[in-house]
Amino acid sequence: MSNAKEFHCDLLVVGTGAAGMSAAVTAAHQGLDVLMIEKRNRFGGTAARSGGWLWIPCTKLAQAYGHDDSPEAAKTYLRHEGGSSYNEARVSAFLQHGPQAVDFFLQNTAVDFEMPLTFPDYHAEAPGAMQGGRSMVAKPFDARELGDNLKHLEPALPELTVFGMMIGSGKDIRHLMNATRSLQSAVYAAKRLSKHFWETLTLGRGMLLTNGNALMGRLAKSALDKNIPIWRSSPIQALIYENERVVGAKVKKENQIITVYADRGVVLAAGGFSHDVERRKANYRHAPTGKEHWSPTVESNTGDTFRLFEALGGKIDSHLANAAAWSPVSLTTRADGSHGVMPHFIDRAKPGVIAVTAKGQRFTNEANSYHDYVQAMIKACEGESETCSWLICDHPTLRRYGLGSVAPFPLPIGRHLKSGYLLKGATLEALASQAGIDSQGLAKTVAAFNQGAISGHDPAFGKGSKAYNRYQGDALHQPNPCLKAIERGPFYAVKIHPGDIGTYNGIPVDEHCRALAEDGTPIAGLYAIGNDATSIMGGNYPGAGITLGPALTFGYAVAKYIAGQTVAGAEPLIKKAS
């Protein structure tokens, strides 16, 4: 730093989520002098709150598990999913660099993954889809490896924890859900909880990071190992554009505006616009004021980098079929009285759960992906005063599987009843009255559903007929893992609202992640990745991890590209000696 208000580096990365960390770690490994800046006082972004899954086809990890995938099959599937928004060049780049990125991080960093034997694509019956081998998740991570920096890691979403303990997406969920039905699961759950409580008592918190927290813990450890500076609480203020290229940015740090010069460019990876009310108003047809929508993403995702891009004359891409990765959410009141947003990923698929509108009518296959569910809910509520639905179940189902923030037996449900999050009725009619649902419509719907559920059939919407449905259902429940009659009161309901887990509309980029001006030409020195860039999924949601997979991939790819460029007379950088 030449003076207190000026800083020089090769590459400035804006944002510390999966995309930004991936770019920074890869760039540092290639020999670049990197600076990361973060608007929040913690690093990790929404990725740290997420399930931590990454969708990347054709990896060596998948091959080791015996999955026979190919770039051609993956491209067929993405072409089917993307429709008219399919981008051949960017998809090809993703499929080329994705396996390379996984290899790079496994070989050179603290990042590690595990892959379930089966985790089907969300539309596994479509051309080119797979029954497994494309979705992976970060291996659990010992938080103590972060040392004092652990306090700076964005914590897990409280709604996805139990007693503050992060629940892993694999065997953790299976064993904790079966703890009252299996001795093996009961022993596993007891050991897991005992260790967590002991660590909380002696160390102040649990030390086993899972899911997105594990991914970001591992990426952060990798960045710290490479001595990459991370300026927290340092929001970007403006881009510096000189001599027809972006050469840096103005950054607010400790109440000073610092001019950061980045010789090789600026990478925007600040997380999209999930909490930008005005942009939601313009992009979400179900949110006419921008406020009829809720997101569990980090609250700092307010589209700041979009405005800076527009200030250069750029235009945000808004042509996708869906502007965001939709998720049904419920609005919770936490034990401390604060409010939270609970994403509903798997409860809708469980046997004995249905979803209805205010008319008491089902409107979709509840076990379809969260993105598909919200699309169906928005369509079903067109012309209504509110876009919402209710998840309905009976007492045995609630205590067996839980519902939203309501945990299964033996955890109590009284707090959720008292707060109004969980509605209860001795009869379906009483429940409908509490929720404001048409009672005759609900009674008729449940009767029709029960008639088929008893024999394992859902003639109305086919719940349980698809591979993804069955994966999220209960394999021990037969003949259909997603169907059970709703018949033993009392009955319960949780209100569902439209939400998102990340935005799709973004800065238009090419296959090298270069930000594109309105005429389609690259803006020299400016790049966008993660949710700051237009999604390559065409507004659809093909499988678990279609946000984080491209984030890791394009973070790696853009760093490799930038390191290989000759900029202002500089030679291309070569990889540092390991």
Side-chain angles (χ1 to χ4, degrees):
M1 183 180 291
S2 56
N3 60 62
K5 295 185 179 181
E6 195 172 289
F7 188 95
H8 290 263
C9 60
D10 292 324
L11 184 66
L12 173 64
V13 178
V14 182
T16 61
M21 284 278 188
S22 173
V25 170
T26 307
H29 190 81
Q30 294 297 120
L32 275 70
D33 181 15
V34 184
L35 170 66
M36 300 186 73
I37 62 171
E38 169 59 51
K39 179 180 180 181
R40 293 171 70 79
N41 64 353
R42 297 187 178 102
F43 52 73
T46 295
R49 294 184 178 184
S50 74
W53 288 88
L54 304 95
W55 192 87
I56 302 176
C58 304
T59 63
K60 291 180 181 177
L61 186 63
Q63 294 172 13
Y65 277 91
H67 294 289
D68 185 21
D69 199 359
S70 70
E72 292 74 23
K75 188 173 290 187
T76 295
Y77 184 50
L78 289 177
R79 185 180 293 111
H80 173 273
E81 296 292 287
S84 61
S85 297
Y86 176 78
N87 186 312
E88 174 73 27
R90 293 188 67 210
V91 167
S92 295
F94 169 62
L95 296 176
Q96 174 190 347
H97 295 298
Q100 296 172 2
V102 172
D103 288 347
F104 166 78
F105 282 101
L106 289 176
Q107 294 167 11
N108 300 288
T109 74
V111 176
D112 203 356
F113 304 106
E114 55 189 20
M115 177 177 285
L117 289 175
T118 58
F119 195 152
D121 290 335
Y122 285 0
H123 304 134
E125 294 73 25
M130 291 281 290
Q131 296 293 325
R134 291 174 175 170
S135 294
M136 66 193 78
V137 69
K139 282 187 177 180
F141 183 61
D142 188 338
R144 284 169 286 205
E145 292 198 36
L146 287 175
D148 290 341
N149 285 290
L150 174 59
K151 63 179 178 289
H152 301 314
L153 175 65
E154 186 74 38
L157 194 69
E159 283 66 41
L160 300 180
T161 66
V162 176
F163 301 119
M165 182 179 76
M166 300 177 203
I167 306 301
S169 300
K171 61 182 180 181
D172 272 7
I173 287 181
R174 292 195 302 272
H175 285 305
L176 290 171
M177 291 287 286
N178 287 314
T180 59
R181 298 200 301 176
S182 162
L183 178 60
Q184 180 186 19
S185 292
V187 171
Y188 178 95
K191 289 181 177 179
R192 182 81 165 82
L193 286 165
S194 296
K195 182 178 181 181
H196 172 75
F197 289 141
W198 174 249
E199 290 175 345
T200 301
L201 179 65
T202 59
L203 301 173
R205 56 160 293 162
M207 289 293 149
L208 186 67
L209 307 185
T210 66
N211 301 342
N213 229 234
L215 175 65
M216 294 317 301
R218 289 180 175 278
L219 280 168
K221 177 66 165 58
S222 304
L224 294 167
D225 285 347
K226 293 183 180 298
N227 298 313
I228 300 171
I230 302 174
W231 291 0
R232 295 174 292 105
S233 301
S234 300
I236 186 171
Q237 303 292 296
L239 291 168
I240 303 173
Y241 188 78
E242 297 176 355
N243 300 319
E244 300 186 341
R245 66 177 288 109
V246 171
V247 297
K250 299 286 186 179
V251 179
K252 186 177 183 180
K253 183 176 187 286
E254 297 175 351
N255 295 318
Q256 280 192 325
I257 300 298
I258 298 178
T259 300
V260 176
Y261 288 105
D263 292 343
R264 290 179 176 266
V266 176
V267 175
L268 304 179
F273 67 91
S274 291
H275 293 278
D276 183 340
V277 174
E278 287 303 311
R279 210 172 290 274
R280 289 198 311 222
K281 178 180 177 180
N283 285 266
Y284 302 171
R285 61 189 176 94
H286 62 272
T289 71
K291 298 179 180 179
E292 301 85 351
H293 183 94
W294 291 264
S295 178
T297 61
V298 292
E299 295 73 16
S300 57
N301 290 349
T302 53
D304 300 355
T305 53
F306 288 18
R307 288 185 286 276
L308 299 184
F309 171 71
E310 289 170 331
L312 292 180
K315 184 177 181 180
I316 298 301
D317 197 341
S318 59
H319 78 282
L320 301 181
N322 292 280
W326 306 129
S327 175
V329 300
S330 51
L331 309 181
T332 70
T333 300
R334 297 168 180 161
D336 63 1
S338 62
H339 297 286
V341 179
M342 172 71 187
H344 289 254
F345 294 137
I346 63 174
D347 54 355
R348 298 167 290 103
K350 300 306 181 191
V353 177
I354 62 169
V356 300
T357 63
K359 295 178 180 178
Q361 299 171 351
R362 291 178 70 207
F363 56 91
T364 191
N365 177 339
E366 296 88 350
N368 283 349
S369 80
Y370 30 93
H371 185 68
D372 292 350
Y373 179 98
V374 174
Q375 289 184 79
M377 180 172 69
I378 292 172
K379 183 177 180 180
C381 294
E382 285 181 351
E384 301 295 330
S385 59
E386 182 181 12
T387 298
C388 65
S389 60
W390 284 263
L391 295 182
I392 306 290
C393 71
D394 64 11
H395 190 75
T397 295
L398 182 79
R399 300 315 280 144
R400 171 69 186 91
Y401 305 107
L403 194 67
S405 289
V406 183
F409 178 84
L411 296 181
I413 66 175
R415 176 171 66 87
H416 298 293
L417 290 169
K418 184 178 180 180
S419 71
Y421 175 80
L422 180 67
L423 302 179
K424 176 182 178 181
T427 64
L428 286 171
E429 290 75 12
L431 179 67
S433 177
Q434 275 213 57
I437 300 171
D438 181 85
S439 60
Q440 291 185 345
L442 180 61
K444 184 177 179 180
T445 292
V446 171
F449 174 80
N450 286 350
Q451 186 175 4
I454 293 172
S455 60
H457 297 286
D458 177 20
F461 294 100
K463 186 179 183 185
S465 64
K466 301 177 181 180
Y468 178 68
N469 294 178
R470 297 187 291 273
Y471 180 83
Q472 298 289 23
D474 180 357
L476 299 178
H477 180 82
Q478 296 299 325
N480 187 323
C482 301
L483 292 180
K484 183 180 76 67
I486 303 170
E487 52 191 357
R488 291 178 56 191
F491 302 93
Y492 300 91
V494 169
K495 190 173 184 180
I496 302 297
H497 304 270
D500 73 84
I501 51 175
T503 49
Y504 280 165
N505 286 350
I507 296 170
V509 296
D510 65 9
E511 66 272 23
H512 302 301
C513 307
R514 297 180 295 183
L516 302 178
E518 193 168 0
D519 64 0
T521 60
I523 299 174
L526 187 63
Y527 305 84
I529 54 177
N531 288 345
D532 273 5
T534 303
S535 169
I536 64 167
M537 301 299 165
N540 216 330
Y541 209 114
I546 56 86
T547 298
L548 292 181
L552 190 86
T553 296
F554 285 120
Y556 163 85
V558 74
K560 295 277 285 187
Y561 177 80
I562 292 170
Q565 297 304 294
T566 301
V567 181
E571 292 299 320
L573 293 176
I574 60 173
K575 178 179 171 182
K576 284 181 177 177
S578 300

